[in-house]
Amino acid sequence: MAAQQVRERFAELYGAEPEGVWAAPGRVNLIGEHTDYNDGFVMPFALPHQATAAVSRRADGVLRLHSADVEGGVVELRLDSLAPGSDGNWTAYPAGVVWALREAGHPVTGADVHLSSTVPTGAGLSSSAALEVVIALALDDLYGLGLQRWQLARLCQRAENVYVGAPTGIMDQTASACCEEGHALFLDTRDLSQRQIPFDLAAEGLRLLVVDTRVKHAHSGGEYGKRRAGCEKGAALLGVDALRDIAYADLAAALTRLGDEEEVVRLVRHVVTEDQRVERVVSLLRAGETRAIGPVLTEGHASLRDDFRISCPELDLVVDTALTNGALGARMTGGGFGGSAIVLAEATDVDTLTKAVEEAFAAAGFTSPRVFEAVPAAGARRLN
């Protein structure tokens, strides 16, 4: 239905049928937070929520953009005027992808685009990456660029880093481009090697809930950048290319070498232990011990709260309430400073947990959260 709706709206806007319709999902990160820009390990999976785009080529150097989710009409941009930092609006994400493709030498001469997305914005579920990847995939198909999925992800990351100005890692775009239905993606962000890990919770009587706190965050804000700069400082002080190069067994010695650099010590400790948590989760899932990943998720939240210091009262309340009411594990997910938490639970406990979290938020005077089940979905694809 979504594909038909965006197709029809495209025709209304531009006076002709689109050449095709594409979709790219948001993602939930099961484990591996703030490790991607440290060349580390991550384990996201795609959500059913997705950005959908109807697109046609143009040959006149014009990019026309419209979103069903933003008030206003069609935005028209000249390709030769696209430049990093020139656009502070939602259009920076699709325009940045076009800029990145052209800068890399790909012959994109323009496009008409109509977008619609069901990925919640500001919820730590990669709404921006979904927008970027759906545009990249559509233009790759239409212009016959022949790019691999990992190459599309790299170009989308460049668009977000350079054009938009958000210092994010490669995980979000790779998840949107490469995830498979019923699987979590074990990704080495250094070389982009991937392994699809079966992740069928329903078959084991389990559920993974996403709790959107409705506290908005923005990756282009200063705090995210400060964490990344601190990690880079830690790597430089320790004489390694990236914190991924610090083995878990060598962590204590590395922290001692950092001396009184208290903030850097905390950041390094989180990244090195988080990489180890990703490897533990992969091992447990491959051994069929899915319930045993719960405590590992909870450890990850404590590290993000206490060492990386990117949680907030609403996220902590979700985790604490869920654990008190029988959850197997819980943690914040995404970049932090708001957004969402995930809760691993027995299927029979879902209603009780949801009610407990909603009541806890009401008692604290917080905005009512949005709670939904996360089911591993397909990655980016052409719909018709």
Side-chain angles (χ1 to χ4, degrees):
M1 187 63 180
Q4 185 60 29
Q5 288 175 337
V6 296
R7 176 178 284 278
E8 291 173 356
R9 183 61 174 135
F10 181 100
E12 292 174 5
L13 290 164
Y14 299 117
E17 288 285 314
E19 292 185 80
V21 179
W22 291 260
R27 65 95 188 99
V28 159
N29 193 23
L30 182 63
I31 192 73
E33 222 64 78
H34 288 268
T35 50
D36 57 347
Y37 55 79
N38 290 291
D39 282 1
F41 304 123
V42 295
M43 200 173 185
F45 63 88
L47 289 169
H49 307 72
Q50 61 189 20
T52 307
V55 186
S56 288
R57 289 168 289 183
R58 297 179 66 95
D60 59 357
V62 170
L63 175 64
R64 295 197 293 181
L65 301 167
H66 184 269
S67 172
D69 310 304
V70 180
E71 290 186 11
V74 174
V75 178
E76 184 169 312
L77 303 169
R78 295 284 316 176
L79 300 191
D80 54 13
S81 297
L82 300 181
S86 63
D87 188 347
N89 301 310
W90 71 269
T91 50
Y93 296 98
V97 171
V98 175
W99 168 84
L101 284 166
R102 285 169 54 84
E103 190 197 42
H106 299 295
V108 176
T109 56
D112 286 338
V113 178
H114 171 61
L115 287 156
S116 179
S117 180
T118 58
V119 185
T121 59
L125 303 176
S126 297
S127 58
S128 60
L131 282 183
E132 293 157 0
V133 171
V134 75
I135 295 297
L137 182 62
L139 296 177
D140 177 62
D141 280 356
L142 290 174
Y143 282 96
L145 304 180
L147 295 169
Q148 308 254 349
R149 291 301 181 96
W150 68 266
Q151 292 174 305
L152 292 178
R154 281 286 190 211
L155 286 164
C156 290
Q157 182 198 16
R158 179 162 176 75
E160 187 148 353
N161 288 174
V162 180
Y163 196 91
V164 178
T168 55
I170 190 64
M171 174 182 66
D172 296 350
Q173 293 83 3
T174 305
S176 186
C178 299
C179 278
E180 294 182 4
E181 186 175 358
H183 293 75
L185 179 68
F186 177 37
L187 173 67
D188 183 334
T189 65
R190 170 161 282 172
D191 60 12
L192 297 191
S193 60
Q194 305 174 19
R195 190 186 312 161
Q196 300 286 347
I197 307 296
F199 193 54
D200 185 357
L201 294 175
E204 300 189 54
L206 298 172
R207 298 290 186 272
L208 190 75
L209 300 179
V210 175
V211 182
D212 177 6
T213 65
R214 303 188 189 269
V215 177
K216 299 297 184 182
H217 72 118
H219 275 171
S220 53
E223 290 302 317
Y224 186 101
K226 287 179 184 177
R227 302 307 189 279
R228 181 164 186 165
C231 290
E232 291 168 353
K233 180 180 179 180
L237 290 172
L238 293 169
V240 294
D241 291 335
L243 293 183
R244 183 265 184 69
D245 296 312
I246 304 298
Y248 180 74
D250 300 330
L251 176 59
L255 297 183
T256 299
R257 287 168 56 198
L258 290 172
D260 60 359
E261 293 277 357
E262 181 183 349
E263 183 175 355
V264 176
V265 164
R266 289 190 286 99
L267 298 178
V268 171
R269 182 166 53 219
H270 166 72
V271 172
V272 176
T273 58
E274 186 79 345
D275 272 335
Q276 193 249 6
R277 279 187 285 272
V278 176
E279 293 184 294
R280 285 163 61 195
V281 167
V282 171
S283 296
L284 289 167
L285 290 178
R286 295 188 73 188
E289 298 179 28
T290 306
R291 285 171 173 78
I293 75 172
V296 187
L297 303 184
T298 305
E299 285 177 29
H301 182 77
S303 183
L304 290 162
R305 180 193 64 211
D306 301 335
D307 274 344
F308 230 67
R309 299 187 182 181
I310 58 170
S311 189
C312 67
E314 291 85 351
L315 289 169
D316 292 340
L317 183 60
V318 174
V319 172
D320 293 344
T321 303
L323 295 174
T324 300
N325 286 273
L328 298 171
R331 74 174 190 90
M332 59 155 287
T333 187
F337 311 106
S340 299
I342 56 174
V343 178
L344 180 67
E346 301 288 350
T348 52
D349 292 338
V350 165
D351 291 343
T352 299
L353 285 166
T354 300
K355 182 180 179 182
V357 169
E358 290 172 344
E359 290 178 347
F361 268 56
F366 295 153
T367 300
S368 180
R370 178 182 180 222
V371 184
F372 61 92
E373 182 183 345
V375 179
R381 62 211 181 276
R382 185 168 185 161
L383 298 180
N384 60 29

